[in-house]
Amino acid sequence: MHLYILMKKYFIVPLLVGCALTASAQVKPTAKKPTVKSVNHVTVYVTAKGTDYRLKSTETLNLQPKAQPLETETVVFVDPAKTFQTMIGIGGALTDASAETFAKLPADKQREFLAAYYGKEKGIGYTFARTNIQSCDFSSDTYSYVSTNDVTLKSFDISHDRKYRIPFIKKAQQAAGGKLNLFVSPWSPPAWMKDNNDMLHGGRLKAEYRQSWATFYTKFIKSYEKEGIPVWGLSVQNEPMAKQKWESCMYTAEEERDFVKQYLGPTLRKEGLANKKLIVWDHNRDLMYQRASTILEDPEAAKYVWGIGFHWYETWTGGGMQFESTRRTHEAFPGKNLVFTEGCIEKFDYNRLDDWALGERYGLSMINDFNSGTVAWTDWNILLDEKGGPNHVGNFCFAPIHADTRNGSLHYTNEYYYIGHFSKYIKPGAKRIVSSSSRDKLLTTAYLNPDGKIAVVVMNPNDAKVDYSLWIKGKTVAVSSLPHSIATLMVY
């Protein structure tokens, strides 16, 4: 069934026109059966447009026996006996821009910010993070860790990061309870390693510097770990098909494949870092399958690759988010992990900070990405200022929380709350389970948490309320989904 008309009717963001709403990944359920506690009660947490509901507990309901729903009913079916991928974590990027903005906040607002993201009770429980190797667009300047033409990398020094970023990451780690899975990504090698002699504007890694660049990753990882920041994984290159006005570097699929199998993979092993999760692609969904198949059909390259990273900016062409590409990639390579490595809403406008479409784009993407097999989901900048920066090339964007550095205040956009409906209630180690709506007006995904509680997310992007029944193995309860709302139903 094609659902494109619904998107056009109900979403006001032009980039979303044409997206498919619901998508259950056609994957083989795992053999291991989940441990499910008795399902008798449902606590509903809601965020809704036109209300003061923000992750608000609105009601606790009781499930009652009901064997057969009618065709005239709207039903969300949940089956905890069918399990799929395991959740690793949800979080955001700890960039230079976020760190610099954080440093400008008064101490009480810094504490509030950290608790809002990483607090497990009062916050939304982030457990995953990303940071940049060398500078990116969301840095105040362009910088490198090595001197020009230092092929042996003897001058390698991360002193730049000690001013803002390293202290910021360590505070985030502490706020998260001491553990925060962090992966690292380069935007560009040093200028002298590239054929355009520029960290910006694309260019390619010169063949003679491939080994030096591979060693560069290991230097960075070891330097950060020496600072007390464990590194969980890394991606090969941020957006390897994008020639940007900011830090960027181009790789064809074949070039990335060969760099992984001939240089980066062997170097990670040689340097004792084979346990780091290596992620390829790290770019948009549209070319994802072509990149994955080119790399993973080569056994020598595939043996080093843990997963495939993807972004949501394929909408720059004017189309919608290509969830089909994600599903096809997962179906073809079920042994590799899918990670959403970056997404944000571009073209910052201070007057749009409360635009409900911001959060709804997150809800649409996260539900479809998880239903397509994604194991971890990473937002872009965790914090930006009142201008959508700092950014040294003017590429200003939205973040879930913005700081007004003029008065030291924090502004929580509805992105923060939409993300929270997943990150707060779906814990690391949770198994995705079947959740299927009988009507295309509701989007849904569900997880069985390690403690046996079930988290069912239901999103209503429509202008009208939708009454439905939650049905789990012969038990049901009536629920109302408010217009332009997202809810997490905790079943126990």
Side-chain angles (χ1 to χ4, degrees):
M1 176 178 180
H2 295 286
L3 306 178
Y4 298 100
I5 295 174
L6 181 68
M7 286 302 304
K8 188 171 183 181
K9 181 177 180 181
Y10 292 113
F11 274 83
I12 63 174
V13 182
L15 292 176
L16 296 184
V17 175
C19 293
L21 281 183
T22 57
S24 293
Q26 299 174 9
V27 296
K28 184 178 179 180
T30 59
K32 184 179 178 181
K33 296 294 183 181
T35 302
V36 186
K37 294 183 178 180
S38 58
V39 288
N40 297 311
H41 310 290
V42 180
T43 300
V44 183
Y45 300 89
V46 179
T47 295
K49 183 179 181 180
T51 73
D52 62 355
Y53 294 169
R54 299 294 182 271
L55 292 167
K56 182 178 177 60
S57 175
T58 58
E59 55 187 344
T60 296
L61 307 169
N62 296 317
L63 288 155
Q64 300 294 334
K66 183 174 181 179
Q68 180 60 62
L70 301 175
E71 289 183 295
T72 54
E73 297 179 78
T74 300
V75 185
V76 171
F77 297 100
V78 174
D79 186 355
K82 304 297 188 295
T83 63
F84 303 94
Q85 79 273 17
T86 302
M87 173 66 74
I88 291 175
I90 298 170
L94 304 168
T95 59
D96 288 318
S98 296
E100 291 169 31
T101 302
F102 177 82
K104 295 177 182 178
L105 289 171
D108 62 328
K109 289 298 179 180
Q110 289 185 346
R111 290 191 294 270
E112 176 189 327
F113 169 84
L114 292 169
Y117 271 122
Y118 297 104
K120 292 177 174 57
E121 297 300 326
K122 295 184 179 180
I124 61 172
Y126 270 13
T127 55
F128 203 63
R130 182 194 196 198
T131 200
N132 45 293
I133 299 176
Q134 303 202 117
S135 60
C136 66
D137 48 334
F138 280 91
S139 303
S140 291
D141 58 348
T142 297
Y143 63 88
S144 178
Y145 300 129
V146 295
S147 302
T148 302
N149 297 325
D150 178 13
V151 179
T152 62
L153 309 181
K154 289 182 179 178
S155 61
F156 191 93
D157 186 358
I158 58 168
S159 293
H160 174 280
D161 297 3
R162 293 193 182 101
K163 185 175 182 181
Y164 294 116
R165 186 147 51 107
I166 287 174
F168 179 54
I169 294 174
K170 293 178 82 169
K171 286 182 178 180
Q173 278 183 321
Q174 184 178 10
K179 182 181 179 182
L180 186 62
N181 284 335
L182 175 73
F183 72 98
V184 299
S185 306
W187 267 243
S188 175
W192 54 271
M193 288 189 184
K194 297 169 66 183
D195 60 8
N196 65 344
N197 198 34
D198 186 359
M199 285 184 68
L200 285 58
H201 309 109
R204 281 185 157 79
L205 177 67
K206 290 183 177 180
E208 60 265 35
Y209 296 126
R210 288 173 184 165
Q211 184 56 60
S212 292
W213 182 229
T215 303
F216 198 104
Y217 296 76
T218 66
K219 290 271 191 183
F220 179 83
I221 292 170
K222 289 183 176 182
S223 295
Y224 260 56
E225 294 197 331
K226 189 175 180 180
E227 296 286 332
I229 300 175
V231 173
W232 172 88
L234 68 157
S235 67
V236 179
Q237 169 64 43
N238 178 72
E239 299 185 348
M241 286 298 292
K243 179 181 179 180
Q244 304 284 20
K245 63 181 179 180
W246 53 84
E247 288 83 346
S248 44
C249 185
M250 308 282 285
Y251 290 80
T252 65
E254 292 78 12
E255 287 169 340
E256 185 175 7
R257 175 198 65 198
D258 294 346
F259 179 63
V260 165
K261 75 175 179 179
Q262 296 171 7
Y263 297 95
L264 184 55
T267 301
L268 288 168
R269 287 192 175 183
K270 180 183 177 182
E271 295 296 325
L273 299 173
N275 63 325
K276 306 305 179 186
K277 310 298 190 293
L278 182 58
I279 300 167
V280 296
W281 187 222
D282 200 3
H283 202 168
N284 298 329
R285 297 183 186 96
D286 49 2
L287 300 183
M288 185 177 178
Y289 184 84
Q290 181 265 343
R291 179 69 52 137
S293 61
T294 301
I295 296 172
L296 298 179
E297 288 171 2
D298 184 321
E300 287 303 306
K303 70 182 182 183
Y304 297 112
V305 177
W306 175 87
I308 307 142
F310 64 97
H311 300 182
W312 73 15
Y313 308 114
E314 66 269 17
T315 52
W316 73 270
T317 61
M321 290 191 275
Q322 299 298 313
F323 302 119
E324 283 296 310
S325 180
T326 313
R327 287 194 291 274
R328 297 294 87 82
T329 303
H330 181 55
E331 290 167 355
F333 304 101
K336 300 300 181 181
N337 299 279
L338 296 181
V339 179
F340 183 86
T341 47
E342 184 186 318
C344 75
I345 295 177
E346 303 160 284
K347 299 180 181 178
F348 178 78
D349 180 351
Y350 189 86
N351 296 318
R352 286 191 62 208
L353 278 177
D354 295 317
D355 187 342
W356 206 256
L358 301 179
E360 287 192 325
R361 181 169 181 181
Y362 276 78
L364 172 73
S365 180
M366 295 180 81
I367 288 172
N368 278 280
D369 289 339
F370 291 138
N371 286 345
S372 299
T374 298
V375 301
W377 208 95
T378 330
D379 187 32
W380 189 207
N381 300 278
I382 201 168
L383 176 70
L384 293 173
D385 65 18
E386 69 278 0
K387 297 179 182 178
N391 185 295
H392 71 90
V393 289
N395 180 36
F396 302 119
C397 298
F398 286 91
I401 300 178
H402 282 268
D404 191 327
T405 59
R406 298 167 296 187
N407 56 30
S409 63
L410 293 173
H411 186 98
Y412 294 75
T413 73
N414 54 64
E415 294 177 11
Y416 169 84
Y417 298 103
Y418 269 72
I419 296 170
H421 275 277
F422 303 87
S423 61
K424 186 177 180 68
Y425 304 107
I426 302 170
K427 307 297 184 180
K431 290 278 190 181
R432 186 173 67 83
I433 59 177
V434 170
S435 185
S436 176
S437 175
S438 67
R439 299 289 186 272
D440 58 14
K441 289 183 178 181
L442 297 178
L443 294 76
T444 182
T445 192
Y447 280 78
L448 175 60
N449 279 305
D451 65 0
K453 293 181 180 179
I454 298 170
V456 184
V457 179
V458 178
M459 178 176 159
N460 176 6
N462 307 287
D463 293 331
K465 182 180 72 170
V466 177
D467 294 324
Y468 68 97
S469 295
L470 177 69
W471 190 96
I472 306 176
K473 293 294 189 181
K475 289 185 177 182
T476 188
V477 66
V479 188
S480 290
S481 180
L482 295 174
H484 294 286
S485 72
I486 187 168
T488 304
L489 286 63
M490 291 303 299
V491 184
Y492 55 97

